[in-house]
Amino acid sequence: MKTCGIFAILVWLLVCGCPSHLNCQTCEIQSIADSVNLDSLRVHVRCLADDTTFSLGDESYRIAGRYDSTGRKVARLYLKTKLDAYGLVTRLDTFGVATNYSIADVNVLAEQPGTLEPDVKVIIGAHYDALVGGQTIAPGADGNASGVATVLEVARVMSHYSTRHTIVYALWDACERGRLGSTSYATKARARGDSIRAVLNVIMTGWDSVQTSRGEIWVRAFAQSQGLGDSLLALSRDVNTGITMSVFNPVLVGSDHVSFWQQGYNAVSITGKYMEGNRSPYVGTVNDRVAHMNFQSFLGRARFSAAATAYLAGGGQVMAAVPLHAMPTSASLSQNYPNPFNPSSWIRYAIPTTSQVSLAIFNTLGQEVAVLVRGVQDAGYHDVKFDAMNLPSGVYFYRLEAGSYTETKKLILIR
C-alpha cells in the first residue's frame, strides 16, 4: 500500500476511534469491488429508467417515471423485492403524505446487522424519485437511477459478507422536493441518538462524455466529513476500481448527504466528474435516458462505492463467506437476479438438510437447455450463476428439485 494512503486512513481511523487494520482488509475489499457486476447494474438502471419491463412472480411491470403515485409505487415494489431477495431486513418507512401526488412519501430501507458493533451504522443511500421542472415525469437514468442501482448492487455483494458495523441500504423518497426522505430519517436518527459512523450518498454516477474515468467525493466541514473524504480518497488509491477519485469542498448542497450534515453526522457524496466540468446535459431533462450513460465509468464508480462501504462497515473486520442467515428450516427458491438479464444471472436457493439436488433451465417448450446443479449438496443457502451466452433472447424457466421439494420460476433473457 502507498505510504500517503496509509497515513490518511490511519489519521481518520484514530479520530473516529476505529481499529487500524486496513492491511488485513485490503485484499477482501478488492475482492468485494471486483464482485460488482455490470449486468446487474445495467438491468437495474433500465428497469428504473423506464427502458424495459421486469417480472415479479408471474406479473410484469414497467416503471413509467418515478415521481407520480403510480411510478413511485411500482419503483418501491421493485426496490423492496430486490432487497428482500438478498436476505436483508427490509421495511417501508412512511414519513409523510404528499397531498398533491396522492401517495404517501416512503423511504425503502434495508439493514444488514453488524456482528461485533451492531449499534454503529454505516449508511449507503440514493434517492429513487425523479422529475423535471417540478411537475414533469422524467426517466432519470443518471439522476438518479444510477445511484439507486449502485445501492442495490452493493447490497447484493455485501450480503455475502459479515462486518463489524451494521449497514443500512437507504433508498430515499422525495429528494426532488427538498430532501424530505433523508431529512426525516436523519432527524429521527439524531432524536434516537443513533451512532452513525458515516453516510455515503451516491448520485449521478453514470455520465462520462470524455472517457476520463474520474469520480468525485463531495465534502464540507461538518462533523468529520472532510476527514472521511480524505480517507476514502486514500482508499481509492489502494483499491483498483478503474476510477480516479478527487475530493471537492465546497460543493452543491442540494442532495441527501446535506440532511445528515445538518444533524451533525459524517457524510459525503460519491458522484461522477461533476465539479470538474463534465456534467451531463441530460440530467433534469426528459432525455436523461440509459442510451446516454457511460457504463464503464458507471461500473468503476459502483465498485468504488462497494469498496467504501466495505471499508467503513468493516472497521478492521470484513470477513468473507460468513453466513448472515441461520440454517434454513425449509427448502426455498428465490427469484433470480438480475431479471431480466444479459448474459448472466444468479439463482439462490435453500435446503434444510443434505439432499439430492437438481437445478435446471428449460425453454417454453419444456426442453431442458442447461443443468446448473445435479448431485448431493449440504444443507444451507446456495448461489449458482447461470450463463446464457449461447442462448437466444426469450422467456425461460428454472426448476429446483431437492428431496421432495420442487419449485419452478420464470426468468427473462434480453439481448
Side-chain angles (χ1 to χ4, degrees), residues 358-372 374 386 391-392 394-399 401 408-409 411:
S358 172
L359 180 63
I361 309 295
F362 300 85
N363 61 22
T364 55
L365 298 177
Q367 298 168 324
E368 187 178 273
V369 297
V371 176
L372 306 184
R374 188 156 287 166
F386 171 41
L391 293 175
V395 174
Y396 293 86
F397 298 89
Y398 58 104
R399 184 169 69 210
E401 298 177 1
T408 302
K409 290 183 179 292
L411 43 73

Side-chain angles (χ1 to χ4, degrees), residues 66-80:
R66 288 173 281 122
Y67 188 62
D68 68 353
S69 58
T70 301
R72 283 191 295 144
K73 189 173 182 179
V74 177
R76 229 170 267 165
L77 174 65
Y78 179 85
L79 300 175
K80 188 174 187 304

